[in-house]
Amino acid sequence: GTYTVELVVRTGGLETSRGIIERFQVTPLGKGALPSAPPESVALFQTQLANASRLASSSSARAGELLEQSLAIQSVLARTPGATQELHAAVHDLEKRLGAIQRRLSGDPKLSVMNEPGPVPVSARLSHADLGVKYSTYGPTPSHQDSLRIAREALAEIDRELTTIREAELIRIHAALKELGAPWTPGR
């Protein structure tokens, strides 16, 4: 492709153009033994991978925040008179589900320490897909494409679950805590 560069000097937070603008053409160094994927399809794959990676990162952060909230709620419930068994059970179930989401995203650290196989986490699928375009001009193989597709499907499901937890379940739990006069917890 054709690229353009400009010499800019940044001093004290201000950028000043030096008026030097150059255009140049980038071409492959040589032909490989195998036919390469069209650059457009590789770029599309890279864009989809980058979007999936951002969603995985934000989903992991959201799950961590929600888990912290559920742990704080669990702590407060132990000191709240009138807290029902149903409310305790709902918060416990929420904590378990958020832990399961984290394992689906990043893997099970307990199994990993023992070098035991487990379900393939989203992070491993994204890493595998990344290998398809990171060190090669051939483009992603069907295996890399499958890894990305499976990761994207899992992330869509996880995103829906996290949204439901935040926008429905936690709202009900927060309302119950308020009604009981429970002490403040993060997220309320």
Side-chain angles (χ1 to χ4, degrees):
T2 302
Y3 293 85
T4 305
V5 294
E6 177 181 6
L7 178 61
V8 175
V9 176
R10 183 180 299 166
T11 307
L14 299 174
E15 294 182 355
T16 307
S17 174
R18 294 295 183 203
I20 301 171
I21 299 173
E22 293 286 333
R23 295 177 64 94
F24 61 95
Q25 185 75 25
V26 176
T27 59
L29 291 174
K31 284 193 168 262
L34 300 172
S36 296
E40 299 80 20
S41 69
V42 174
L44 176 62
F45 184 85
Q46 289 172 326
T47 299
Q48 291 172 342
L49 178 60
N51 290 339
S53 295
R54 278 191 293 279
L55 182 55
S57 178
S58 67
S59 294
S60 182
R62 286 173 59 198
E65 290 170 10
L66 294 171
L67 185 58
E68 283 181 28
Q69 287 183 34
S70 72
L71 293 171
I73 291 168
Q74 208 170 49
S75 173
V76 164
L77 279 179
R79 300 172 293 168
T80 303
T84 65
Q85 283 301 109
E86 291 81 16
L87 186 55
H88 280 281
V91 173
H92 180 72
D93 178 63
L94 181 62
E95 180 186 339
K96 284 177 28 181
R97 288 178 22 235
L98 288 166
I101 288 171
Q102 286 184 319
R103 287 187 297 280
R104 285 168 48 203
L105 286 166
S106 303
D108 189 331
K110 292 177 184 173
L111 288 178
S112 180
V113 165
M114 296 182 286
N115 204 24
E116 287 292 323
V120 180
V122 168
S123 61
R125 293 196 184 278
L126 291 174
S127 292
H128 178 255
D130 188 43
L131 290 175
V133 291
K134 193 173 208 171
Y135 302 112
S136 170
T137 59
Y138 292 115
T141 66
S143 176
H144 297 124
Q145 292 169 345
D146 286 346
S147 288
L148 179 57
R149 178 187 50 76
I150 293 166
R152 290 175 69 193
E153 289 169 359
L155 285 167
E157 182 180 321
I158 288 168
D159 187 54
R160 283 191 299 274
E161 290 174 34
L162 291 171
T163 299
T164 299
I165 289 169
R166 179 174 294 206
E167 296 178 3
E169 295 177 42
L170 270 177
I171 289 174
R172 285 193 298 272
I173 291 170
H174 288 159
L177 291 172
K178 183 176 181 180
E179 189 176 310
L180 289 168
W184 176 88
T185 57
R188 275 204 299 161

